[in-house]
Amino acid sequence: MAPVQQRRIPVVPKDRFASLFGALKTQSYHEYSRPTQHTLRSLSWNPTGTFIATGSTDRTVRVWNPEKPNVRYATELKGHTGLVEKVLFNPVKEAELASCSTDGTVRFWDDEVLVSISTEATPAILSENRQQVQTNGTAFSYSTPPNDLLITHGDGSVKILDYPTFDVLHTLQAHTSACLSLALSPTAKFLAVGGSDALISLWDTTDWVCHRTMSNSGSGGVRGLSWSFDGRFICGASEEVASGGGSGTGSGLEIYHAETGEMVYAVPTSHAGIPAVEWHPNRYWLAYSVFESPETGPSRGGLRIVGAAGGPNI
């Protein structure tokens, strides 16, 4: 099936990005009227950017219209009995969503009203390969069907495996500490790897050579990565409180220009941790979740979208 057609925004030059992106206004989305301690661990835009899904430690999935920040306009999807660790829209279907949870299940939500189509039956395992070290993140190549599986390990390595044979094609000694996350650029030219050392490394997927590294010394381990729709900008997420600046040493949620490695903008996020980030699929809007320390009392964290409240048409 062909990807859903998307309206593309003209590319913004690196030297103008800070002024234009900095003029965008941020919209806040609160799931509850009162402060709570739950955390949004995962975000996902649908293919056209008309909806964004959130997965929460309160065991719920919600689908938001970014133009309507009040929670009464969000669709709440219930069914998981454990923390929701990941949500992901189908890249070629407007309203098909998957969610996985610590309850050991994956649920699929379909149709315009996003009704659960999961069953309690045990799904068939297509293939299985046991790893000898801790695996933190996985991603398939963009080919159809996928022929490569990329995985990060706790020993600082990344492996590129043939799929479905699981033969090791390449092993990258990517970081000196655990590799936590990875993401292919939209063109598949680069693979970004996030580590517990607060580094993001970029690898050329042609010869698997490290192109450059980027670091926010005041942030924590990079547990999530997201590329802008054009593959020119990248940012990482860290759950550690103060990783976004404020009382920590970080300057905020940092956005990097992938080709040069320069930090082009920092979204001010006070002393909050940033568990998840996700660029809009066809414009320079950036969604992120906010988590504040329980030591400071109940949090008014939740979803934020830079650009949803107005600003330049980028």
Side-chain angles (χ1 to χ4, degrees):
M1 182 180 293
V4 176
Q5 292 298 311
Q6 301 178 0
R7 168 178 166 267
R8 294 289 186 180
I9 296 293
V11 169
V12 173
K14 177 174 72 73
D15 57 356
R16 296 191 61 206
F17 181 84
S19 60
L20 290 172
F21 187 84
L24 294 175
K25 297 179 181 179
T26 300
Q27 182 66 64
S28 298
Y29 304 77
H30 297 297
E31 300 190 20
Y32 299 98
S33 59
R34 297 185 301 275
T36 64
Q37 294 292 5
H38 76 283
T39 304
L40 301 182
R41 297 184 63 85
S42 181
L43 309 173
S44 180
W45 291 94
N46 75 333
T48 55
T50 52
F51 295 104
I52 185 169
T54 60
S56 175
T57 57
D58 69 356
R59 301 175 293 181
T60 62
V61 175
R62 285 183 175 82
V63 179
W64 299 81
N65 179 339
E67 297 179 356
K68 298 180 178 181
N70 194 300
V71 69
R72 70 173 181 266
Y73 296 112
T75 301
E76 183 176 314
L77 307 176
K78 292 183 177 181
H80 284 299
T81 58
L83 313 183
V84 179
E85 292 284 356
K86 184 72 175 180
V87 291
L88 188 66
F89 269 105
N90 187 326
V92 297
K93 290 188 178 181
E94 182 73 8
E96 186 171 278
L97 177 72
S99 59
C100 68
S101 166
T102 56
D103 62 13
T105 67
V106 175
R107 287 181 175 265
F108 297 89
W109 311 85
D110 198 9
D111 214 341
E112 293 182 359
V113 293
L114 291 164
V115 176
S116 175
I117 58 173
S118 66
T119 66
E120 296 302 320
T122 302
I125 298 175
L126 298 179
S127 54
E128 185 175 359
N129 183 262
R130 185 174 296 276
Q131 299 297 305
Q132 300 302 311
V133 293
Q134 178 178 319
T135 299
N136 295 315
T138 62
F140 278 108
S141 61
Y142 291 150
S143 59
T144 305
N147 52 26
D148 292 331
L149 174 64
L150 303 92
I151 57 178
T152 63
H153 285 312
D155 63 1
S157 67
V158 174
K159 287 182 180 176
I160 297 90
L161 308 179
D162 176 74
Y163 183 81
T165 68
F166 293 103
D167 292 336
V168 178
L169 303 176
H170 304 280
T171 299
L172 313 178
Q173 299 303 325
H175 291 253
T176 57
S177 59
C179 292
L180 303 176
S181 56
L182 76 171
L184 280 167
S185 65
T187 61
K189 180 181 179 181
F190 293 115
L191 172 69
V193 179
S196 60
D197 52 9
L199 290 174
I200 300 172
S201 58
L202 294 188
W203 297 78
D204 190 309
T205 58
T206 302
D207 51 17
W208 296 111
V209 171
C210 185
H211 193 63
R212 62 176 37 86
T213 60
M214 295 160 286
S215 172
N216 174 7
S217 59
S219 69
V222 182
R223 296 186 176 275
L225 290 162
S226 183
W227 293 85
S228 60
F229 70 90
D230 54 4
R232 298 176 65 244
F233 302 99
I234 188 171
C235 61
S238 174
E239 293 184 9
E240 297 181 28
V241 174
S243 62
S247 60
T249 59
S251 56
L253 176 55
E254 296 189 346
I255 300 171
Y256 299 94
H257 183 244
E259 193 63 33
T260 63
E262 295 178 41
M263 195 271 285
V264 292
Y265 192 81
V267 180
T269 54
S270 185
H271 56 280
I274 310 297
V277 292
E278 194 74 20
W279 284 97
H280 191 281
N282 52 55
R283 62 190 311 163
Y284 295 105
W285 287 12
L286 181 62
Y288 63 94
S289 61
V290 174
F291 172 73
E292 297 175 348
S293 172
E295 297 176 359
T296 63
S299 169
R300 283 310 302 268
L303 174 65
R304 309 281 190 272
I305 302 179
V306 180
N313 184 30
I314 63 171

